[in-house]
Amino acid sequence: MPRASTLRIARLAALALVLIVIIYKVTNPSSLTALSRAAGYHEKSASSPGPDQKGAVTSGDMPAAPAKEDVKSEEEPAVDVKTPVDEGKDYVRANATFVTLARNQDIWSLVKSIRHVEDRFNRKYHYDWVFLNDDDFDDHFKEITSSLISGNVKYGKIPKEHWGYPDWIDQEKAAEVREQMRQKQIIYGDSISYRHMCRFESGFFFQQELMKSYKYYWRVEPDIILHCDVDYDVFKYMEKNGYDYGFTLSLYEYIDTIPTLWNSVKKFIKEHPEHIAENNLMDWLSEDNGITYNKCHFWSNFEIGNLDFWRSKAYGDFFEFLDHEGGFFYERWGDAPVHSIAAGLLLPKEKVHFFDDIGYWHVPFTNCPTNKADRLKLKCSCNPADNFVWKGYSCTPRYYDVMQMKRPSEWHQQS
Ligand SMILES: Nc1nc2c(ncn2[C@@H]2O[C@H](COP(=O)(O)OP(=O)(O)OP(=O)(O)O)[C@@H](O)[C@H]2O)c(=O)[nH]1
Ligand SMILES: [Mg+2]
């Protein structure tokens, strides 16, 4: 037989064999489950980090995923891959939730964030997730987000009085400001919704019905990245250490968005000296003992915090005072400087915590753990050269100084 024909027959035989195997697997889905189990997939997804002084989940107390209401179809494999190990049912979660403000159209930016948070942290702990919107969430948004999250998921609509103009605001004056800011090309300067968002995040997210039962929260925005494993329960860590506010990035605010904010803060300090904590972070916020603001703020697109702080009388008075000053609409005050100044002045400084070990990105800045040993241990995917923390525009070096904290040994390589 000619050599070319022999080769053709051999190729046809191989193709037929491959087809038979594919047809067998498609018609026997359980064989795929068995294969993945044999490869250790379930065991691996349920494996836990070793004991850590920060309170890592160990195999003995791995939390079980809360029961979901979804009805499963009979065709699904018997093993629920979301449920790690049986011992997990005894793990006691902190009273905490993730919280995300979003619109329906944010869905595809948001799924990336959720995936990162689940993969790096929440698949081990199954904390709840609250979504808030000034509109109704649609079924598509709910279906996709709930399929990705391993804890309970809740969807809330923000009441009108928390997303709109208070009656003391002159809307014509506000419109003039937006036009001036548009001409000056100030980012989001001409946006009405951005202002409602900033005011909502400043004064109302913690007042939402769905948030009322929680004590701690982790704020997550669309399009963020978690660069490293978070191998301990951050909420319990906040609780155990008495922290009320945690951040990953800090920087200088764009002054054109808050020209009179500090004047208002100074008026508040005069009116309410009783709310100012004794051992506060004023030296981080100001280089002249409070006369001027140096514009340092924690970047609030990431926050892990204690909701009771925002619900306190001190913060309530602070927000109400600022709200009446009108700067959310007559300027473009952001929730980042508002939260930061509050955390910096109303809390004693030991209640604020820098999460140096949470590798985080929100366009355009990165927090990448400074020391190589930490990046390796936490399986980080960030380039240390991108670490913003020690760069000139970051306020975190100043935070270290004010807190009299020792800088990580490799910081100077990233400045
Ligand atoms: N429901 C709702 N959510 C909003 C609206 N505007 C912004 N958000 C959300 O508020 C948060 C902050 O908005 P962003 O647009 O991320 O603002 P930013 O982080 O300052 O700017 P970016 O660089 O665009 O990320 C995000 O979680 C958004 O999804 C809005 O009009 N409605
Ligand atoms: Mg954002």
Side-chain angles (χ1 to χ4, degrees), residues 221-222 301 362:
E221 282 203 0
N301 47 66
H362 175 296

Side-chain angles (χ1 to χ4, degrees), residues 100-103 106 132-134 163 188 193-194 197 201 219-222 301 362-363:
T100 296
L101 174 69
R103 294 152 291 204
D106 292 322
L132 300 171
N133 189 357
D134 55 307
W163 193 282
Y188 295 119
S193 64
Y194 194 86
M197 181 276 286
E201 292 287 17
R219 173 169 164 182
V220 176
E221 282 203 0
N301 47 66
H362 175 296
V363 64

Side-chain angles (χ1 to χ4, degrees), residues 210-262:
L210 291 178
M211 297 297 288
K212 281 190 175 158
S213 62
Y214 298 104
K215 178 156 177 171
Y216 293 97
Y217 71 101
W218 179 338
R219 173 169 164 182
V220 176
E221 282 203 0
D223 274 324
I224 60 105
I225 292 175
L226 281 193
H227 277 299
C228 308
D229 283 353
V230 180
D231 60 358
Y232 60 98
D233 187 331
V234 288
F235 298 116
K236 288 198 171 175
Y237 181 68
M238 295 287 288
E239 198 167 42
K240 272 189 198 146
N241 289 286
Y243 294 136
D244 284 342
Y245 191 84
F247 71 100
T248 51
L249 288 160
S250 74
L251 67 159
Y252 295 98
E253 180 59 299
Y254 187 17
I255 194 65
D256 284 349
T257 64
I258 50 158
T260 69
L261 175 60
W262 193 251

